[in-house]
Amino acid sequence: MKLVNIGFGNMVCIDRVIAIVVPESAPIKRIVSESKDRGLCIDATYGRKTRTVLITDTDHVILSALQPDTVRRRVENSADDRTAADSGAIDTDDEADETDAEDDETEAEKDEL
């Protein structure tokens, strides 16, 4: 089970995610609305603007305030970390990951204002 941070300390099992999409299109807005009606929507935005929608294989819809590219990078980095751990290599990108997280959270705070 691989957990990926989707912002504000919230973690998602990336093995269950089937899509990472932006919420602007009408079909995605409909999926989010229907999931809220069925009680399958998890809002991890902490009141900030939804920038990414993660759709799982269990029909749950997870809302995140992070940019889709940031979530994608975190997924890729977690896959790289797992590969590096399997091969015995040491990952030195932790500092870059923290900078990305700080940038996204700062950007989210600006949107709140």
Side-chain angles (χ1 to χ4, degrees):
M1 177 170 73
K2 262 190 292 190
L3 295 177
V4 174
N5 185 335
I6 60 164
F8 307 106
N10 297 299
M11 307 293 275
V12 171
C13 177
I14 204 63
D15 297 332
R16 304 303 300 256
V17 174
I18 59 172
I20 300 173
V21 294
V22 294
E24 278 81 31
S25 71
I28 300 302
K29 287 180 182 178
R30 196 170 331 145
I31 288 171
V32 170
S33 177
E34 289 172 0
S35 71
K36 286 180 180 178
D37 293 342
R38 295 184 305 162
L40 296 174
C41 184
I42 301 168
D43 189 346
T45 62
Y46 279 75
R48 294 187 170 73
K49 180 180 177 184
T50 300
R51 293 203 167 124
T52 302
V53 176
L54 296 100
I55 302 171
T56 68
D57 59 354
T58 59
D59 289 335
H60 284 84
V61 174
I62 304 164
L63 309 179
S64 173
L66 296 182
Q67 293 288 346
D69 279 340
T70 302
V71 175
R72 178 190 53 80
R73 269 186 268 131
R74 290 181 181 188
V75 169
E76 288 173 353
N77 286 342
S78 73
D80 292 345
D81 291 347
R82 178 174 256 180
T83 304
D86 291 343
S87 67
I90 298 172
D91 183 26
T92 58
D93 281 343
D94 290 340
E95 209 170 286
D97 293 343
E98 290 173 10
T99 303
D100 289 342
E102 290 171 4
D103 290 345
D104 283 334
E105 289 175 7
T106 302
E107 191 174 314
E109 289 171 2
K110 287 180 184 175
D111 286 344
E112 188 177 287
L113 298 175

